Amino acid sequence: MKSVAALVALAGSAAAFSPAPISRVESSLSYAAELDSMTGVSAESGNQVFDPLNLSDYVPTDWARRAELSNGRSAMLATVGWVWPKVFGTFDSQDVTTTDPIDAILQADPQWWVQWIVICGVFETWKYKQELNGKSFLGGAEPAVDYLKLWPEDPAKQEELKLKELKNARLAMIGIAGFAANHFLPGACPVPDFA
């Protein structure tokens, strides 16, 4: 009898170290069905939709994808702008004399910023007018700018090109975030200094 009681006590104490059953959390929010058909599901995201914060429950998925691609393109330019002066040097300038991107922003003459804002406004207006004509900058239609004629006729090749651009955009967003983090917290990210 003592051995049965000891065996029951051991079995009960062993249960304390076993994983607890996982209860499924129900949400009143709905999964956006549009995510399943969007470009971007690949090995990098575990062959599933990458939406860890469930943002698709709050914003239109098409708008979120366009924002992701637009910000990714900006990040691609920012990454080149971060690395270029450190590798190739700066232009002959009297006001910007550093290769540090953050210091260069602060050294730039205010007229540069006014010109930049005006150029961005002109470009955004032109983009808007092109989209009214059925062209696209962010997928979904024939591209508004294709000087090199790289946009394929085959729909499968178009999807492949969209996926490549999206992967590069995501990588650039991670890259520029790493550069910025490493600038303010040296050694925070394993990124080269290019010094």
Side-chain angles (χ1 to χ4, degrees):
M1 187 62 142
K2 287 183 183 181
S3 59
V4 172
L7 187 60
V8 170
L10 284 175
S13 64
F17 298 104
S18 66
I22 299 173
S23 62
R24 183 176 169 93
V25 177
E26 295 295 328
S27 172
S28 62
L29 300 174
S30 62
Y31 174 76
E34 304 91 44
L35 291 174
D36 290 331
S37 62
M38 292 183 82
T39 303
V41 175
S42 64
E44 291 83 5
S45 60
N47 291 321
Q48 59 186 2
V49 174
F50 182 76
D51 188 15
L53 300 177
N54 295 323
L55 296 177
S56 61
D57 292 333
Y58 304 103
V59 297
T61 55
D62 183 52
W63 179 86
R65 173 52 49 87
R66 294 165 63 91
E68 178 183 24
L69 191 53
S70 182
N71 288 317
R73 288 175 178 171
S74 297
M76 286 186 236
L77 288 173
T79 302
V80 170
W82 192 284
V83 173
W84 184 275
K86 293 184 178 189
V87 174
F88 298 104
T90 60
F91 298 109
D92 188 22
S93 173
Q94 302 303 322
D95 51 351
V96 178
T97 58
T98 182
T99 59
D100 182 333
I102 302 299
D103 288 342
I105 290 171
L106 300 174
Q107 288 181 6
D109 192 332
Q111 73 172 345
W112 290 21
W113 292 110
V114 172
Q115 291 172 1
W116 177 249
I117 290 169
V118 169
I119 287 171
C120 289
V122 168
F123 186 67
E124 288 296 321
T125 302
W126 185 77
K127 265 177 45 176
Y128 177 72
K129 287 183 178 181
Q130 290 297 315
E131 287 193 8
L132 291 178
N133 293 331
K135 303 282 186 172
S136 174
F137 276 89
L138 301 170
E142 179 185 347
V145 177
D146 187 18
Y147 297 123
L148 300 176
K149 305 296 181 204
L150 297 175
W151 187 248
E153 297 293 327
D154 180 27
K157 296 281 187 188
Q158 290 175 359
E159 289 301 313
E160 181 182 341
L161 194 61
K162 287 179 186 179
L163 182 60
K164 286 179 182 178
E165 182 179 24
L166 189 58
K167 286 181 177 184
N168 284 319
R170 290 173 175 170
L171 180 63
M173 287 187 280
I174 293 169
I176 195 64
F179 284 143
N182 207 46
H183 175 81
F184 292 109
L185 299 170
C189 296
V191 295
D193 190 19
F194 296 108

